Amino acid sequence: MSNDDRSGFTTCNLHADRADKPEHGVLHKPIHTSVAYTYEDARDLAAVFQGKMAGYNYGRQQNPTVNALQTRITKMEQGITSTAFATGMAAIGSALFALLRAGDHMIASAFLFGNTNSLFNSFRNFGIEVSFVDTTSASAVADAIQDNTRLVFTETIANPVTQVADLTGIGQLCKQHGLIYIVDNTMTSPWLFRPISVGASFIVNSLTKTIGGHGNALGGMLTDTGLFDWSSYDNIFDTYRKGDVKLWGTTQVRKKGLRDFGATLGPEAAHHLAVGSETLPLRMDRASENAQLLAEFCDQHPRIKKVYYPGLPHHPQHERARSLFRKTGSIMSIDLADDIDCFDFLNKLQCVISSSNLGDTRTLAIPVAHTIFFEMGAERRASMGIGDNMIRLSVGIEDIEDLLHDFSQALS
């Protein structure tokens, strides 16, 4: 079977490994555990190290199983190449470390995931200025641009209050000002949305979440769309200003980020994530449909004060989400009534699991203020709209009747 750009999303992904003609006719790329590689001619080994010849030199930088996964995600996101990391956070941190220098300025969403927010604040300690702005408004991003601004970073849908960034407007702004545009696509996945459509330079995916989908492996991916003009970017070292100019940024990320930091994705995890990815559209469609129905149920329940889900008509960015995304995703949050203890509520749930992960096949719930956003402090949480009785839900693929019954009994 031919595996080309004319194939549908699922067909292309299912047969991705076959296109590489893996050994013995296997349908999945085997798990290659070796970290060392040899060549009959030692000159070839040197040529691989110097980038003059394609090949493998050391497991911290390349692995055949990991490369096969990179190819899968590149095709999903319609980019030109991808770089795998041990986690999504490693992908973000390594990219910024490689592309920014002391004295640079970056703009980031004010509604970032807690760990990403913490990471960006840490970069401030090394002379990189960060402005956190409301990325639901491109004009707010425009107002924050300075002479030393290098890049803009935003998520598609914010976690946990589900604000939807003005992805199109920010993309146009970045193109106008020559800024790197990094979009974290984790909350939507390449099935629901492709950031290349809004001009993203790099796309981040936490493979741990919806792409892997089964909560059994950690991983992150940085996909280069090929849209950014690296010839005009001063932070590219002379060493990497060779070959295809579209690859200069990724080359520097791989050398100064992946190689030097060593946040390498292991082959066993890569295999789990690749197999999990094959059912991404099926899982995301079902989880999104469940989330829509559960959000509508919660929106009408007298013991729930507020529901945060882009699929609801009263969501501030409902129309934007409908125009951008295939479906409005599996992430939602609720504010429980003041007289409900959030921990008692979670303990009463029987089908829904108290857990910190996202994008699992199972529905997961977590008390946001007391866990993943606890370190931020009450004042910062309040600025993000996170109250003490907020529960974030990652809706899974269970039978919707069971989810609705579980919420009914827990709220009774």
Side-chain angles (χ1 to χ4, degrees):
M1 174 183 171
S2 174
N3 186 0
D4 57 33
D5 292 338
R6 292 171 296 176
S7 299
F9 186 102
T10 302
T11 303
C12 183
N13 190 38
L14 281 172
H15 298 276
D17 286 352
R18 289 179 60 200
D20 191 40
K21 302 187 186 307
E23 49 269 43
H24 312 302
V26 296
L27 298 183
H28 289 111
K29 186 72 173 179
I31 302 175
H32 290 270
T33 58
S34 179
V35 299
Y37 306 89
T38 187
Y39 295 86
E40 292 185 5
D41 187 336
R43 294 179 182 84
D44 290 342
L45 179 61
V48 171
F49 264 90
Q50 295 172 21
K52 298 177 181 178
M53 173 178 158
Y56 298 91
N57 51 25
Y58 187 56
R60 175 160 32 89
Q61 298 177 59
Q62 290 196 69
N63 174 279
T65 311
V66 175
N67 279 7
L69 177 62
Q70 290 175 165
T71 298
R72 281 177 179 264
I73 305 303
T74 299
K75 289 179 178 178
M76 283 188 189
E77 291 287 15
Q78 297 183 330
I80 59 171
T81 190
S82 295
T83 306
F85 294 86
T87 65
M89 289 304 306
I92 296 169
S94 297
L96 297 187
F97 173 81
L99 298 173
L100 298 177
R101 299 182 185 178
D104 287 344
H105 171 249
M106 63 174 288
I107 300 168
S109 169
F111 314 118
L112 284 179
F113 170 58
N115 286 158
T116 311
N117 184 289
S118 176
L119 173 68
F120 289 3
N121 278 311
S122 294
F123 271 99
R124 286 172 160 170
N125 298 329
F126 297 92
I128 294 171
E129 187 180 353
V130 184
S131 295
F132 293 100
V133 305
D134 179 358
T135 53
T136 64
S137 167
S139 62
V141 176
D143 290 342
I145 294 175
Q146 304 173 177
D147 291 341
N148 59 336
T149 303
R150 293 292 192 175
L151 65 82
V152 177
F153 184 102
T154 191
E155 298 158 339
T156 52
I157 301 176
N159 166 22
V161 190
T162 72
Q163 298 95 334
V164 179
D166 184 359
L167 298 163
T168 303
I170 297 172
Q172 294 169 347
L173 196 64
C174 288
K175 182 178 181 180
Q176 177 185 349
H177 291 270
L179 304 177
I180 299 171
Y181 185 22
I182 302 181
V183 177
D184 189 328
N185 199 26
T186 300
M187 293 298 103
T188 32
S189 84
W191 172 242
L192 298 186
F193 177 64
R194 282 177 167 141
I196 192 173
S197 66
V198 293
S201 312
F202 281 114
I203 304 165
V204 174
N205 278 288
S206 174
L207 306 177
T208 314
K209 310 302 192 298
T210 56
I211 290 178
H214 294 78
N216 60 356
L218 295 168
M221 194 72 73
L222 185 74
T223 299
D224 190 333
T225 64
L227 297 180
F228 189 76
D229 180 12
W230 296 104
S231 65
S232 62
Y233 193 66
D234 295 340
N235 286 1
I236 299 296
F237 295 104
D238 291 340
T239 308
Y240 309 127
R241 289 180 174 269
K242 58 184 179 181
D244 187 350
V245 67
K246 289 185 177 181
L247 295 174
W248 287 3
T250 285
T251 298
Q252 187 153 302
V253 169
R254 288 175 177 170
K255 297 296 186 181
K256 306 308 296 180
L258 177 61
R259 182 194 66 187
D260 290 3
F261 266 135
T264 308
L265 178 66
E268 293 90 348
H271 174 75
H272 283 303
L273 295 166
V275 174
S277 77
E278 293 180 354
T279 57
L280 172 63
L282 305 178
R283 290 184 286 102
M284 282 304 293
D285 281 351
R286 174 63 173 258
S288 298
E289 290 163 5
N290 279 354
Q292 181 69 40
L293 293 171
L294 183 58
E296 291 171 357
F297 168 87
C298 291
D299 201 38
Q300 298 299 317
H301 200 285
R303 305 211 71 196
I304 294 177
K305 292 172 60 177
K306 189 171 184 179
V307 180
Y308 306 87
Y309 183 65
L312 295 176
H314 60 67
H315 189 282
Q317 292 89 42
H318 172 68
E319 291 302 324
R320 177 183 293 165
R322 287 188 61 190
S323 66
L324 286 171
F325 310 140
R326 188 188 299 264
K327 287 183 170 65
T328 44
S330 59
I331 303 302
M332 58 177 284
S333 293
I334 58 175
D335 286 335
L336 297 169
D338 293 338
D339 64 332
I340 299 178
D341 182 282
C342 65
F343 297 104
D344 289 343
F345 167 75
L346 289 170
N347 290 339
K348 288 178 70 176
L349 290 168
Q350 299 171 0
C351 181
V352 178
I353 302 166
S354 295
S355 175
S356 62
N357 193 25
L358 293 172
D360 200 306
T361 50
R362 303 156 188 82
T363 298
L364 312 175
I366 193 167
V368 180
H370 309 278
T371 55
I372 52 177
F373 282 82
F374 179 73
E375 287 188 10
M376 279 191 172
E379 184 177 351
R380 183 76 172 92
R381 288 197 298 271
S383 72
M384 299 176 71
I386 299 171
D388 288 344
N389 243 14
M390 174 179 281
I391 303 294
R392 187 198 69 193
L393 300 162
S394 172
V395 182
I397 62 172
E398 297 95 341
D399 296 300
I400 187 60
E401 294 83 2
D402 294 325
L403 290 177
L404 297 179
H405 173 74
D406 201 20
F407 267 73
S408 293
Q409 64 84 21
L411 289 166
S412 62

